[in-house]
Amino acid sequence: QLWSWAEQHKEMLDDSRRYQIRLKLARAYRDAGMLEKALRLYDALVAEDAAKWPDGRARNAEALTGQAETLFSLARHTEARDAFLRIWQRAEPRSKLWWRALLRTLQCSVRLGEDRSKILKSIRLHRRLWPDMGGPELRKQFDALYEQLLEQRAKTSQPAR
C-alpha cells in the first residue's frame, strides 16, 4: 500500500525517498518469503543505483546485500557467492558488512562443494589475524561453519564399513 501511495503522489516524494520505500518493500517481500518478487525489485534497485555512477557499479550496500541474501535464500549459490564476494571486496575492511559478506561467501562455497580445505584455511587465517571475527554473533557463525566442515571431512575420511 505504501508503494501504491508513493506512486500516486510522486510529486510529494523525491527520487531518494521513493528509492528508500522500494528498498523497504523489497525487504518486506524477502521477509515474507516472496523471494522471486524481492529479487526482481532488488535487481531493479541495484541497476538504478549503478546507472548513477560513471563506472556503472552500484554502491548502495542495502540493495546489494538484499540482492545477495535473496539469491542465497533462493539457493542460487554461484550468483550469491559472486555477489557477496563483490560486496566483501568493496566493503570497509573488518566492518560488519565485510565480515558478513565473507561468511556468506564461504557458506556459498560450501554449498557449491568447493574445496573444504581452502575454506577451513580461510577461516583459520581470519581467526588468527582478527580473533573477534566481526563480533560474537558472526564469530559463532564462523565457528559453526568451521565445525561443520571438520565433521564433513571426518566423515569422508572414514573408511566405508
Side-chain angles (χ1 to χ4, degrees):
Q1 287 180 320
L2 180 59
W3 178 244
S4 185
W5 180 89
E7 281 296 291
Q8 291 172 6
H9 300 88
K10 285 183 179 181
E11 71 285 351
M12 297 175 74
L13 299 168
D14 62 16
D15 290 343
S16 174
R17 288 186 193 255
R18 280 200 313 279
Y19 189 90
Q20 290 302 314
I21 291 170
R22 290 169 55 218
L23 269 174
K24 289 181 186 340
L25 180 60
R27 176 63 188 256
Y29 286 151
R30 193 174 90 220
D31 290 348
M34 301 169 70
L35 300 176
E36 292 293 342
K37 203 167 190 175
L39 184 59
R40 282 192 300 276
L41 188 48
Y42 279 123
D43 287 346
L45 290 162
V46 168
E48 186 178 320
D49 186 41
K52 292 191 264 183
W53 301 97
D55 63 4
R57 289 175 24 180
R59 286 167 172 72
N60 187 292
E62 188 176 350
L64 290 165
T65 303
Q67 179 188 50
E69 288 289 352
T70 305
L71 288 165
F72 185 85
S73 296
L74 287 165
R76 291 169 56 176
H77 294 117
T78 300
E79 293 168 88
R81 182 203 51 211
D82 295 346
F84 280 116
L85 187 58
R86 283 190 301 273
I87 292 167
W88 179 75
Q89 290 169 336
R90 295 182 353 210
E92 180 68 32
R94 293 171 303 288
S95 65
K96 289 277 188 209
L97 178 61
W98 188 86
W99 284 109
R100 181 75 179 159
L102 175 60
L103 176 66
R104 282 297 203 208
T105 299
L106 297 175
Q107 289 171 329
C108 289
S109 294
V110 168
R111 285 168 174 79
L112 291 167
E114 294 178 1
D115 187 346
R116 277 192 297 260
S117 64
K118 288 182 181 177
I119 299 166
L120 285 164
K121 183 179 179 179
S122 177
I123 295 171
R124 277 192 305 270
L125 173 68
H126 285 89
R127 262 189 195 161
R128 196 172 311 122
L129 293 173
W130 303 288
D132 75 313
M133 297 191 78
E137 182 56 38
L138 285 168
R139 171 67 193 243
K140 190 184 329 180
Q141 291 179 59
F142 276 105
D143 290 347
L145 181 60
Y146 190 81
E147 293 303 317
Q148 173 193 341
L149 290 167
L150 289 178
E151 288 174 22
Q152 288 175 357
R153 186 171 69 180
K155 286 179 185 176
T156 58
S157 64
Q158 291 178 354
R161 295 180 189 202

